[in-house]
Amino acid sequence: MEHTHQHFVLVDNRGTFDEKVLRALLALKRIIPMETNALEIEKKFLVRLKPGCDLGGYPFMEIQQTYLARKDKPGIECRVRKKTFQDTPSYTYTEKTKTEVEGVRGESEEKITEARFEELLKSYRDPGCSPIRKIRYKIPLEGEEIMELDVYQGELAPFVVAEVEFKTVEDMSAFKFPGWLGETQDVT
């Protein structure tokens, strides 16, 4: 029997139940247009850059990130960000939730105005959390992946964290960190 519907997708049925559900959700995400990422599949690494590692050739932006204490959203990680690229700021509000699959979280992100950014900070800023400042470099890898390399500033310097997002759990599982950048520890 041949399937000719434009949205017919055959979903791989191998693995655990959670992996099967995740693959089905990802297949739906490709069919149903969404303005935000419904699922984030990523690996995170703590990085010790090699001496003399030159990041100057990669595009970068400055990020100020603040976590919010939202009692009205228990179990949800909420944050606001101000990103500055080439002297132009943009603002986002993000909510993240855990899933049963390691490296996979629910994610909703929306662009907000500077006024909304300031309002959220005033209303929900966690007094125990200082704003986080970092420089984010975008480094293309083999294939379609882009590494986001965050070099922390201020109190958190000299921490360096790399994140790589993937389209599938299989791609995430097969990923090997490029050794040219330095030593790493998986902290996903």
Side-chain angles (χ1 to χ4, degrees):
M1 179 164 128
E2 187 174 319
H3 298 279
T4 57
H5 189 276
Q6 65 179 354
H7 295 304
F8 175 78
V9 176
L10 185 60
V11 177
D12 185 355
N13 198 28
R14 292 175 289 158
T16 67
F17 177 75
D18 288 334
E19 291 169 335
K20 294 173 190 179
V21 169
L22 180 61
R23 279 194 290 275
L25 288 171
L26 289 171
L28 281 172
K29 181 181 170 188
R30 287 185 206 107
I31 295 169
I32 301 170
M34 297 180 188
E35 291 184 20
T36 61
N37 295 329
L39 292 172
E40 173 186 67
I41 304 169
E42 76 174 6
K43 287 188 84 75
K44 278 188 178 185
F45 300 88
L46 190 58
V47 180
R48 184 179 315 157
L49 295 174
K50 286 186 175 179
C53 184
D54 182 15
L55 300 173
Y58 298 106
F60 68 92
M61 68 179 74
E62 297 175 21
I63 296 176
Q64 175 189 319
Q65 173 176 300
T66 306
Y67 288 93
L68 305 175
R70 300 276 316 245
K71 291 183 176 31
D72 59 327
K73 298 191 177 255
I76 299 175
E77 177 186 289
C78 303
R79 71 169 185 234
V80 288
R81 274 188 177 165
K82 175 183 177 182
K83 300 183 217 176
T84 305
F85 178 69
Q86 296 180 343
D87 296 324
T88 303
S90 64
Y91 303 87
T92 56
Y93 171 76
T94 305
E95 294 181 353
K96 293 189 179 192
T97 55
K98 292 184 177 185
T99 69
E100 298 295 318
V101 180
E102 183 180 314
V104 179
R105 298 192 294 178
E107 180 181 70
S108 172
E109 185 171 278
E110 66 179 285
K111 290 182 179 183
I112 58 175
T113 64
E114 181 179 8
R116 179 71 175 139
F117 174 83
E118 295 297 338
E119 176 187 325
L120 286 165
L121 281 177
K122 184 177 177 184
S123 299
Y124 298 109
R125 181 167 174 240
D126 185 340
C129 293
S130 297
I132 296 169
R133 288 178 169 67
K134 55 191 175 182
I135 306 295
R136 171 166 288 170
Y137 295 89
K138 299 267 191 168
I139 301 173
L141 301 174
E142 288 183 28
E144 297 179 27
E145 286 87 21
I146 302 287
M147 177 190 310
E148 296 180 337
L149 187 74
D150 293 340
V151 179
Y152 286 79
Q153 309 294 300
E155 301 172 359
L156 296 176
F159 284 115
V160 177
V161 174
E163 297 179 2
V164 182
E165 288 194 27
F166 303 92
K167 292 183 180 176
T168 68
V169 172
E170 292 81 7
D171 290 345
M172 179 181 67
S173 298
F175 179 73
K176 302 287 186 245
F177 194 89
W180 59 265
L181 197 55
E183 295 178 35
T184 62
Q185 177 183 353
D186 189 336
V187 292
T188 303

